[in-house]
Amino acid sequence: MFGKRTVPPDPASATMPWSPRLPESVPPEARAPEGRPAKPTHKAAKGAAGAPTKGSELDQRLQAVKIAVFNDLIDSVDLTELGKLDIAAVREEISDIVSEIISMRSMVLSAVEQSLVINDICNDVLGLGPLEPLLARDDIADIMVNGADEVYIETNGRIERTDIRFRDNAQLMNICQRIVSAVGRRVDEASPICDARLADGSRVNVIAPPLAIDGPALTIRKFKRDKLTLDKLVGFGTISPKGARLLQVIGAARLNVIVSGGTGSGKTTLLNCLTSYIDKGERVITCEDAAELQLQQPHVVRLETRPPNLEGVGAVTMRDLVRNCLRMRPERIIVGEVRGAEAFDLLQAMNTGHDGSMGTVHANNPRECISRIENMIAMGGYTLPAKTVREQMAASIQIIIQAARLRDGSRKITHITEVVGMEGEVVTLQDLYVFQLEGEDGQGRIQGRHVPTGLRPKFWDRAKYFGLERDLAEALDEAP
Ligand SMILES: Nc1ncnc2c1ncn2[C@@H]1O[C@H](COP(=O)(O)OP(=O)(O)O)[C@@H](O)[C@H]1O
Ligand SMILES: [Mg+2]
């Protein structure tokens, strides 16, 4: 990411620093220091893409200082070496060097101006320019950049547009490049799609022109350090206390679970919560595209897929991981996102002694989840009769937990559904818990209740075997 040789920082982006106007909601500590040059208007930025924007005397003087300091900096520091330090240390180091350069060149700057210059240079050299203040905020779940002029964020389930802009698409592209070079990738016209990860674990997707028509689209799913717990989900109304109890039983009784839901519906969060009910003594292996799960167990092996390198070779797929995982004597296998042929391997694992395995699938309801998995297996090149595949699913998957992000931005578990078996050619499902929609309150927030359906789970005896019969009975008790 900091590599001088892989992707040299674009001096142009240091010469014309961005100056975001932050929305009112930005906490003071994330704001730029007072005296930051005013952001050019939307029109001006568009009209003069790439050309210096006219500013006050001070702006131009500071910009000149920045250019000079930046050039000195590149000459004097090996950014690759710096990249080995952690980000705070790098910032400190750069600040020191920049202060030194400023005093060596006998530049006259006030303390405020100096910190302004240092900040901007740090952001341009090391950081992600205009995105830095957003990355510093803990309340943001996603950052979505649609070309240089549009930056959206998601907080508390709501998407809003920010006033932050990039100087132009070239600066944005440069930042995208810097992000993906950290995982040894390149993004350009020839390979315009790329997944990467920030140093803090945040997941990044870049899709560049010509595929993205209005400029590079950058999407960042921010990594949350303090993961949500089931208790917190209850607090948010994502699930009722009794529903949460049912989830605990499901996790502890080693049922095979698929968490189903749309993008951002809270699948990974839920999966992570469920893993906290895994017995401490179990050997758990996780397979993910980009490690997000934070298991609290002592005995966990974390595996991660790898995209192909620049020559298009060396990819390690999810399927490779799941298959390898079976040779590692796992007791449970957890697949972050089941998307393709690995579905078949996971089902087999679930069915051959690795009970309590889990995964997430992108689907809008439990029934669709089943057909999605069937499709993944069919597309994976298995020429099995549909009925065989369905039997395999019915025998392997015991629970589907459906997560959803409702139109008010709240996340709910809408179904806890049991896979019961087969009826003819069809996989039969029964809902154990559902979210009943009751309407909206004055603020447009969705109202409803989680209710048990009154059906007796097929896994009752299993829960009993694990000493969880009472918990199960209480979880399913219809009295609120
Ligand atoms: N029940 C919830 N209530 C509020 N926020 C949630 C909830 N579940 C997840 N989130 C937040 O929503 C974002 C997306 O969650 P994630 O679990 O990664 O979704 P998915 O895996 O379905 O894409 C994260 O920032 C997460 O912290
Ligand atoms: Mg996820």
Side-chain angles (χ1 to χ4, degrees):
M1 176 161 193
F2 310 105
K4 189 175 177 180
R5 272 153 222 100
T6 44
V7 181
D10 169 15
S13 69
T15 62
M16 280 176 296
W18 51 280
S19 330
R21 281 175 293 144
L22 298 178
E24 285 314 306
S25 54
V26 176
E29 62 274 16
R31 286 175 177 273
E34 291 296 315
R36 183 160 220 142
K39 163 88 192 168
T41 64
H42 193 174
K43 251 191 193 153
K46 256 198 171 155
T53 40
K54 249 189 146 181
S56 64
E57 287 287 321
L58 181 71
D59 292 0
Q60 286 177 1
R61 190 170 67 88
L62 277 188
Q63 281 187 10
V65 172
K66 276 171 203 158
I67 299 169
V69 171
F70 189 87
N71 290 338
D72 277 5
L73 183 73
I74 309 200
D75 289 342
S76 59
V77 198
D78 183 351
L79 296 176
T80 322
E81 280 303 307
L82 271 186
K84 291 174 188 158
L85 305 172
D86 75 63
I87 199 103
V90 175
R91 266 181 191 279
E92 202 168 300
E93 189 80 2
I94 290 226
S95 304
D96 288 351
I97 298 169
V98 169
S99 312
E100 209 170 289
I101 293 173
I102 289 175
S103 72
M104 253 167 43
R105 284 174 155 251
S106 349
M107 290 168 164
V108 186
L109 292 183
S110 72
V112 171
E113 286 171 342
Q114 180 157 337
S115 82
L116 199 78
V117 170
I118 290 175
N119 252 343
D120 262 16
I121 289 182
C122 284
N123 286 348
D124 275 343
V125 174
L126 300 177
L128 304 178
L131 295 176
E132 285 291 309
L134 300 181
L135 290 167
R137 280 172 59 181
D138 283 336
D139 60 327
I140 296 177
D142 294 273
I143 303 172
M144 295 145 278
V145 183
N146 314 337
D149 289 337
E150 282 178 29
V151 179
Y152 289 86
I153 54 174
E154 200 227 72
T155 49
N156 302 321
R158 286 188 178 276
I159 294 181
E160 57 177 302
R161 186 167 175 178
T162 68
D163 285 345
I164 288 178
R165 299 201 181 90
F166 292 78
R167 192 184 70 237
D168 52 27
N169 280 335
Q171 187 200 16
L172 172 55
M173 197 62 196
N174 185 40
I175 284 170
C176 292
Q177 198 73 261
R178 202 175 296 156
I179 294 173
V180 305
S181 68
V183 292
R185 303 286 309 272
R186 197 172 56 210
V187 56
D188 51 27
E189 284 206 4
S191 57
I193 298 184
C194 192
D195 282 318
R197 198 151 43 124
L198 301 182
D200 72 354
S202 299
R203 288 165 61 170
V204 180
N205 175 266
V206 178
I207 178 159
L211 304 188
I213 295 161
D214 301 317
L218 169 68
T219 315
I220 301 177
R221 161 68 52 86
K222 283 187 66 189
F223 185 78
K224 273 236 167 86
R225 213 157 298 281
D226 42 341
K227 282 284 167 192
L228 294 171
T229 59
L230 206 46
D231 281 347
K232 284 194 187 149
L233 297 196
V234 170
F236 294 152
T238 298
I239 182 71
S240 64
K242 284 191 173 179
R245 191 99 180 253
L246 179 59
L247 295 180
Q248 283 177 25
V249 173
I250 288 169
R254 306 191 52 118
L255 298 178
N256 292 319
V257 178
I258 299 290
V259 179
S260 160
T263 307
S265 59
K267 299 184 294 298
T268 306
T269 305
L270 211 50
L271 190 61
N272 208 56
C273 290
L274 286 176
T275 61
S276 59
Y277 300 102
I278 296 177
D279 191 86
K280 298 279 174 281
E282 294 184 38
R283 175 169 165 85
V284 183
I285 304 188
T286 65
C287 305
E288 295 179 88
D289 277 323
E292 273 188 291
L293 293 169
Q294 294 179 322
L295 271 63
Q296 302 308 314
Q297 274 66 29
H299 195 161
V300 178
V301 182
R302 301 189 304 151
L303 305 177
E304 198 177 71
T305 58
R306 187 173 70 184
N309 66 10
L310 291 177
E311 285 74 44
V313 295
V316 177
T317 65
M318 187 61 92
R319 176 137 208 240
D320 298 332
L321 289 189
V322 176
R323 289 187 145 189
N324 190 72
C325 180
L326 291 171
R327 289 179 229 125
M328 297 170 69
R329 206 198 164 279
E331 289 181 275
R332 305 211 197 201
I333 298 172
I334 301 195
V335 178
E337 264 185 69
V338 185
R339 270 197 270 232
E342 70 276 5
F344 189 75
D345 303 273
L346 178 63
L347 292 186
Q348 278 204 321
M350 286 176 160
N351 210 358
T352 53
H354 309 97
D355 43 350
S357 290
M358 304 178 188
T360 75
V361 167
H362 190 124
N364 295 314
N365 57 59
R367 172 62 57 195
E368 188 186 310
C369 174
I370 289 287
S371 54
R372 282 273 175 150
I373 297 175
E374 187 179 332
N375 278 344
M376 289 175 202
I377 293 173
M379 308 274 285
Y382 293 97
T383 47
L384 298 166
K387 188 166 183 213
T388 311
V389 174
R390 289 177 199 163
E391 278 166 352
Q392 173 83 325
M393 285 193 284
S396 314
I397 305 166
Q398 283 153 311
I399 296 288
I400 297 173
I401 303 173
Q402 182 68 40
R405 183 169 163 272
L406 304 187
R407 62 174 188 277
D408 65 348
S410 67
R411 275 127 178 147
K412 301 278 184 210
I413 291 179
T414 59
H415 299 78
I416 302 176
T417 298
E418 190 175 28
V419 179
V420 190
M422 293 278 289
E423 246 175 57
E425 301 246 318
V426 182
V427 177
T428 43
L429 305 175
Q430 68 173 11
D431 294 335
L432 299 178
Y433 244 85
V434 292
F435 179 70
Q436 265 175 8
L437 207 68
E438 287 172 345
E440 273 182 18
D441 70 3
Q443 276 101 48
R445 282 188 303 241
I446 289 179
Q447 303 290 299
R449 285 187 311 139
H450 286 95
V451 289
T453 57
L455 296 173
R456 184 187 162 91
K458 203 181 123 199
F459 67 82
W460 192 285
D461 288 340
R462 187 182 176 91
K464 192 169 168 183
Y465 171 78
F466 280 92
L468 299 162
E469 190 181 23
R470 231 183 97 196
D471 296 84
L472 182 57
E474 283 175 17
L476 294 171
D477 181 9
E478 284 171 58

